[in-house]
Amino acid sequence: MTDPSPALPKPRTGQDDGAGVAGGRAAARARFRERMAQWMFIAPAAAYLLLFFGYPIF
């Protein structure tokens, strides 16, 4: 009988997995781009809140 649960990803230990320095830089750039994309989605909402709710306070 097979296990119906899906395979879980390997936990990250923070140790180098043998990708080397170049792989680490590429991963860092990918994380940076992902983080910037997240902020670009949040920035308009934050600007709206500051403009229309924060402005009357001042």
Side-chain angles (χ1 to χ4, degrees):
M1 181 168 225
T2 61
D3 185 16
S5 63
L8 297 176
K10 185 173 90 172
R12 299 184 72 185
T13 61
Q15 298 176 353
D16 187 18
D17 60 355
V21 174
R25 289 183 188 151
R29 282 194 305 267
R31 283 192 305 272
F32 176 76
R33 283 194 305 267
E34 184 177 343
R35 184 62 53 109
M36 288 305 296
Q38 292 169 349
W39 278 108
M40 290 298 114
F41 277 100
I42 290 179
Y48 173 82
L49 290 173
L50 287 173
L51 182 65
F52 290 105
F53 290 108
Y55 176 74
I57 294 173
F58 293 110

Coordinates of all heavy atoms in Angstrom, one line a residue:
M1 N 0.8 -1.2 0.0 CA 0.0 0.0 0.0 C 0.9 1.2 0.0 O 1.9 1.3 0.7 CB -0.9 0.0 1.2 CG -1.8 1.1 1.3 SD -3.0 0.7 2.6 CE -4.5 1.2 1.8
T2 N 0.5 2.2 -0.8 CA 1.3 3.4 -0.9 C 0.9 4.5 0.1 O -0.3 4.5 0.5 CB 1.3 4.0 -2.3 OG1 -0.1 4.4 -2.6 CG2 1.8 3.0 -3.3
D3 N 1.8 5.4 0.5 CA 1.5 6.5 1.4 C 0.7 7.6 0.6 O 1.2 8.1 -0.3 CB 2.8 7.0 2.0 CG 2.5 8.0 3.0 OD1 1.4 8.1 3.5 OD2 3.5 8.8 3.4
P4 N -0.5 7.9 1.1 CA -1.3 9.0 0.3 C -0.8 10.4 0.6 O -1.1 11.3 -0.2 CB -2.7 8.8 0.8 CG -2.5 8.2 2.2 CD -1.3 7.4 2.1
S5 N 0.1 10.6 1.6 CA 0.5 12.0 1.9 C 1.6 12.4 0.8 O 2.4 11.5 0.4 CB 1.1 12.0 3.3 OG 2.2 11.2 3.4
P6 N 1.6 13.6 0.5 CA 2.6 14.1 -0.5 C 4.0 14.1 0.1 O 4.1 14.2 1.4 CB 2.1 15.5 -0.9 CG 1.3 15.9 0.3 CD 0.7 14.7 0.9
A7 N 5.0 14.1 -0.7 CA 6.4 14.1 -0.2 C 6.6 15.5 0.3 O 6.3 16.5 -0.3 CB 7.3 13.8 -1.3
L8 N 7.3 15.6 1.5 CA 7.6 16.9 2.1 C 9.0 17.3 1.6 O 9.8 16.5 1.4 CB 7.6 16.8 3.6 CG 6.2 16.4 4.2 CD1 6.3 16.3 5.7 CD2 5.2 17.5 3.9
P9 N 9.1 18.7 1.5 CA 10.5 19.1 1.0 C 11.5 18.9 2.2 O 11.1 18.9 3.3 CB 10.3 20.6 0.7 CG 9.0 21.0 1.5 CD 8.2 19.7 1.6
K10 N 12.8 18.8 1.8 CA 13.8 18.7 2.7 C 13.9 19.9 3.5 O 14.0 21.0 3.0 CB 15.1 18.4 2.0 CG 16.3 18.1 2.8 CD 17.5 17.7 2.0 CE 18.3 18.9 1.7 NZ 19.6 18.6 1.0
P11 N 14.0 19.9 4.9 CA 14.1 21.1 5.7 C 15.5 21.8 5.4 O 16.5 21.2 5.2 CB 14.1 20.6 7.1 CG 14.3 19.1 7.1 CD 14.0 18.6 5.7
R12 N 15.4 23.1 5.5 CA 16.6 23.9 5.2 C 17.4 24.0 6.5 O 16.9 24.4 7.6 CB 16.2 25.3 4.7 CG 15.5 25.2 3.4 CD 15.2 26.5 2.8 NE 16.4 27.1 2.4 CZ 16.5 28.3 1.9 NH1 15.5 29.1 1.9 NH2 17.7 28.8 1.5
T13 N 18.7 23.7 6.5 CA 19.5 23.7 7.7 C 20.4 25.0 7.7 O 21.1 25.2 8.7 CB 20.4 22.5 7.7 OG1 21.2 22.5 6.6 CG2 19.5 21.2 7.8
G14 N 20.4 25.8 6.6 CA 21.3 26.9 6.6 C 22.7 26.6 6.2 O 23.6 27.4 6.1
Q15 N 23.0 25.3 5.9 CA 24.3 24.9 5.5 C 24.4 24.9 4.0 O 23.4 24.7 3.3 CB 24.7 23.6 6.1 CG 24.7 23.6 7.6 CD 24.9 22.2 8.1 OE1 25.0 21.2 7.4 NE2 25.1 22.1 9.4
D16 N 25.6 25.0 3.5 CA 25.8 25.0 2.0 C 25.5 23.6 1.5 O 25.9 22.6 2.0 CB 27.2 25.3 1.7 CG 27.5 25.5 0.2 OD1 26.5 25.6 -0.5 OD2 28.6 25.4 -0.2
D17 N 24.7 23.6 0.4 CA 24.3 22.3 -0.1 C 25.2 21.9 -1.3 O 24.9 21.1 -2.1 CB 22.8 22.2 -0.5 CG 22.5 23.3 -1.6 OD1 23.4 24.1 -1.9 OD2 21.4 23.3 -2.1
G18 N 26.3 22.6 -1.4 CA 27.3 22.3 -2.5 C 27.0 23.1 -3.8 O 27.7 22.9 -4.8
A19 N 26.2 24.1 -3.7 CA 25.9 24.9 -4.9 C 27.1 25.8 -5.2 O 27.2 26.3 -6.3 CB 24.6 25.7 -4.7
G20 N 27.9 26.2 -4.3 CA 29.0 27.0 -4.5 C 28.7 28.5 -4.4 O 27.5 28.8 -4.1
V21 N 29.7 29.3 -4.5 CA 29.5 30.8 -4.4 C 28.6 31.3 -5.4 O 27.7 32.1 -5.1 CB 30.8 31.5 -4.4 CG1 30.7 33.0 -4.3 CG2 31.7 31.0 -3.2
A22 N 28.7 30.9 -6.7 CA 27.9 31.5 -7.8 C 26.5 31.1 -7.6 O 25.6 31.9 -7.8 CB 28.4 30.9 -9.1
G23 N 26.2 29.9 -7.1 CA 24.8 29.5 -6.8 C 24.2 30.2 -5.7 O 23.1 30.6 -5.7
G24 N 25.1 30.6 -4.7 CA 24.6 31.4 -3.6 C 24.2 32.8 -4.0 O 23.3 33.4 -3.5
R25 N 25.0 33.3 -4.9 CA 24.7 34.7 -5.4 C 23.5 34.7 -6.2 O 22.7 35.6 -6.1 CB 25.9 35.2 -6.2 CG 27.1 35.5 -5.4 CD 28.2 36.1 -6.3 NE 29.4 36.2 -5.5 CZ 30.6 36.2 -6.1 NH1 30.8 36.0 -7.4 NH2 31.7 36.3 -5.3
A26 N 23.3 33.7 -7.0 CA 22.1 33.6 -7.8 C 20.8 33.5 -6.9 O 19.8 34.1 -7.2 CB 22.2 32.5 -8.8
A27 N 21.0 32.7 -5.9 CA 19.9 32.5 -5.0 C 19.6 33.8 -4.2 O 18.4 34.1 -4.0 CB 20.2 31.3 -4.0
A28 N 20.6 34.5 -3.9 CA 20.5 35.8 -3.2 C 19.8 36.8 -4.1 O 18.9 37.5 -3.6 CB 21.8 36.3 -2.7
R29 N 20.2 36.8 -5.3 CA 19.5 37.7 -6.3 C 18.0 37.3 -6.5 O 17.2 38.2 -6.5 CB 20.2 37.7 -7.6 CG 21.5 38.5 -7.7 CD 21.9 38.8 -9.1 NE 22.1 37.5 -9.8 CZ 23.3 36.9 -9.9 NH1 24.3 37.3 -9.3 NH2 23.3 35.8 -10.6
A30 N 17.7 36.0 -6.5 CA 16.4 35.6 -6.7 C 15.5 36.0 -5.4 O 14.4 36.4 -5.6 CB 16.3 34.1 -6.9
R31 N 16.1 35.8 -4.2 CA 15.4 36.2 -3.0 C 15.2 37.7 -3.0 O 14.1 38.2 -2.6 CB 16.2 35.8 -1.8 CG 16.1 34.3 -1.5 CD 16.6 34.0 -0.1 NE 18.0 34.5 0.1 CZ 19.1 33.7 -0.2 NH1 18.9 32.5 -0.7 NH2 20.3 34.2 0.0
F32 N 16.2 38.5 -3.4 CA 16.0 40.0 -3.5 C 14.9 40.4 -4.4 O 14.1 41.2 -4.1 CB 17.4 40.6 -3.9 CG 17.3 42.1 -4.1 CD1 17.2 42.9 -3.0 CD2 17.2 42.7 -5.3 CE1 17.2 44.3 -3.1 CE2 17.1 44.0 -5.5 CZ 17.1 44.8 -4.4
R33 N 14.9 39.8 -5.6 CA 13.8 40.1 -6.6 C 12.5 39.7 -6.1 O 11.5 40.5 -6.2 CB 14.1 39.4 -7.9 CG 15.2 40.0 -8.8 CD 15.2 39.5 -10.2 NE 15.3 38.0 -10.2 CZ 16.4 37.3 -10.4 NH1 17.5 38.0 -10.5 NH2 16.4 36.0 -10.4
E34 N 12.4 38.6 -5.4 CA 11.1 38.2 -4.8 C 10.7 39.2 -3.7 O 9.5 39.5 -3.6 CB 11.2 36.8 -4.2 CG 9.9 36.2 -3.7 CD 10.0 34.8 -3.2 OE1 11.0 34.1 -3.6 OE2 9.1 34.4 -2.5
R35 N 11.6 39.6 -2.9 CA 11.3 40.5 -1.8 C 10.8 41.9 -2.4 O 9.9 42.5 -1.9 CB 12.5 40.7 -0.9 CG 12.4 41.5 0.3 CD 11.3 41.0 1.3 NE 11.6 39.6 1.6 CZ 12.0 39.2 2.8 NH1 12.3 40.1 3.7 NH2 12.2 37.9 3.0
M36 N 11.5 42.3 -3.4 CA 11.1 43.6 -4.1 C 9.8 43.5 -4.7 O 9.0 44.4 -4.6 CB 12.2 44.0 -5.1 CG 13.5 44.5 -4.5 SD 13.3 45.8 -3.3 CE 12.6 47.1 -4.4
A37 N 9.4 42.4 -5.3 CA 8.1 42.2 -5.9 C 7.0 42.2 -4.8 O 6.0 42.8 -5.0 CB 8.0 40.8 -6.6
Q38 N 7.3 41.6 -3.6 CA 6.4 41.7 -2.5 C 6.2 43.1 -2.1 O 5.0 43.6 -1.9 CB 6.9 40.9 -1.3 CG 6.9 39.4 -1.6 CD 7.7 38.6 -0.5 OE1 8.3 39.2 0.3 NE2 7.6 37.3 -0.6
W39 N 7.2 43.9 -1.9 CA 7.1 45.3 -1.5 C 6.4 46.1 -2.6 O 5.7 47.1 -2.3 CB 8.5 45.9 -1.3 CG 9.0 45.6 0.1 CD1 10.0 44.7 0.4 CD2 8.4 46.1 1.3 NE1 10.1 44.6 1.8 CE2 9.2 45.5 2.4 CE3 7.4 47.0 1.7 CZ2 8.9 45.7 3.7 CZ3 7.2 47.2 3.0 CH2 7.9 46.6 4.0
M40 N 6.5 45.8 -3.9 CA 5.9 46.6 -4.9 C 4.3 46.3 -4.9 O 3.6 47.2 -5.3 CB 6.4 46.2 -6.3 CG 7.8 46.7 -6.5 SD 7.9 48.5 -6.5 CE 8.9 48.8 -5.0
F41 N 3.9 45.2 -4.4 CA 2.5 45.0 -4.2 C 1.9 45.7 -3.0 O 0.8 46.1 -3.0 CB 2.2 43.5 -4.1 CG 2.1 42.8 -5.4 CD1 3.1 42.1 -5.9 CD2 0.9 42.9 -6.2 CE1 3.1 41.4 -7.1 CE2 0.8 42.3 -7.4 CZ 1.9 41.5 -7.9
I42 N 2.8 45.8 -2.0 CA 2.3 46.4 -0.7 C 2.4 48.0 -0.8 O 1.6 48.7 -0.1 CB 3.1 45.9 0.5 CG1 2.7 44.4 0.7 CG2 2.9 46.7 1.7 CD1 3.4 43.7 1.8
A43 N 3.4 48.5 -1.5 CA 3.6 49.9 -1.6 C 2.4 50.8 -1.9 O 2.1 51.8 -1.3 CB 4.8 50.2 -2.5
P44 N 1.6 50.4 -2.9 CA 0.4 51.2 -3.2 C -0.6 51.3 -2.1 O -1.2 52.3 -1.8 CB -0.2 50.6 -4.5 CG 0.9 49.8 -5.1 CD 1.8 49.4 -4.0
A45 N -0.8 50.2 -1.5 CA -1.8 50.1 -0.3 C -1.2 51.0 0.8 O -2.0 51.7 1.5 CB -2.0 48.7 0.1
A46 N 0.0 50.9 1.1 CA 0.6 51.6 2.2 C 0.6 53.1 1.9 O 0.2 54.0 2.7 CB 2.1 51.2 2.4
A47 N 0.8 53.5 0.6 CA 0.7 54.9 0.2 C -0.7 55.4 0.4 O -0.9 56.5 0.8 CB 1.2 55.1 -1.2
Y48 N -1.7 54.6 0.0 CA -3.1 55.0 0.1 C -3.4 55.2 1.6 O -4.0 56.2 1.9 CB -4.0 53.9 -0.5 CG -5.4 54.2 -0.3 CD1 -6.1 55.0 -1.1 CD2 -6.1 53.5 0.8 CE1 -7.5 55.3 -0.8 CE2 -7.4 53.8 1.0 CZ -8.1 54.6 0.2 OH -9.5 54.9 0.4
L49 N -3.0 54.3 2.4 CA -3.3 54.5 3.8 C -2.7 55.7 4.4 O -3.3 56.5 5.2 CB -2.9 53.2 4.6 CG -3.7 52.0 4.3 CD1 -3.1 50.8 5.0 CD2 -5.1 52.1 4.8
L50 N -1.4 55.9 4.1 CA -0.8 57.1 4.6 C -1.4 58.4 4.1 O -1.5 59.4 4.8 CB 0.7 57.1 4.2 CG 1.6 56.1 5.0 CD1 3.0 56.0 4.4 CD2 1.6 56.5 6.5
L51 N -1.7 58.4 2.8 CA -2.3 59.6 2.2 C -3.7 59.9 2.7 O -3.9 61.1 3.2 CB -2.3 59.5 0.7 CG -2.8 60.7 -0.1 CD1 -1.8 61.8 0.1 CD2 -2.9 60.3 -1.6
F52 N -4.6 59.0 2.7 CA -6.0 59.3 3.0 C -6.3 59.1 4.5 O -7.4 59.6 4.9 CB -6.9 58.4 2.1 CG -6.8 58.8 0.7 CD1 -6.1 58.1 -0.2 CD2 -7.4 60.0 0.3 CE1 -6.1 58.5 -1.6 CE2 -7.4 60.4 -1.0 CZ -6.7 59.6 -2.0
F53 N -5.5 58.4 5.3 CA -5.8 58.3 6.7 C -4.8 59.1 7.5 O -5.2 59.5 8.6 CB -5.8 56.8 7.1 CG -7.0 56.1 6.6 CD1 -6.8 55.1 5.5 CD2 -8.3 56.3 7.0 CE1 -7.9 54.4 5.0 CE2 -9.4 55.6 6.5 CZ -9.2 54.7 5.5
G54 N -3.6 59.2 7.1 CA -2.6 59.9 7.8 C -2.6 61.4 7.6 O -2.4 62.2 8.5
Y55 N -3.0 61.8 6.4 CA -3.0 63.3 6.1 C -4.0 64.0 7.0 O -3.6 65.1 7.5 CB -3.4 63.5 4.6 CG -3.5 64.9 4.3 CD1 -2.4 65.7 4.1 CD2 -4.8 65.5 4.1 CE1 -2.5 67.1 3.8 CE2 -4.9 66.8 3.7 CZ -3.8 67.6 3.6 OH -3.9 68.9 3.3
P56 N -5.2 63.6 7.3 CA -6.1 64.4 8.1 C -5.6 64.5 9.6 O -5.9 65.5 10.2 CB -7.4 63.6 8.1 CG -7.3 62.8 6.9 CD -5.9 62.5 6.6
I57 N -4.8 63.6 10.0 CA -4.2 63.7 11.4 C -3.3 64.9 11.4 O -3.3 65.7 12.4 CB -3.5 62.4 11.8 CG1 -4.5 61.3 11.9 CG2 -2.7 62.6 13.1 CD1 -3.9 59.9 12.1
F58 N -2.5 65.2 10.4 CA -1.6 66.3 10.4 C -2.3 67.6 9.9 O -2.0 68.6 10.2 CB -0.4 66.1 9.5 CG 0.4 65.0 10.0 CD1 0.5 63.7 9.4 CD2 1.2 65.1 11.1 CE1 1.3 62.7 9.8 CE2 2.0 64.1 11.6 CZ 2.0 62.9 11.0

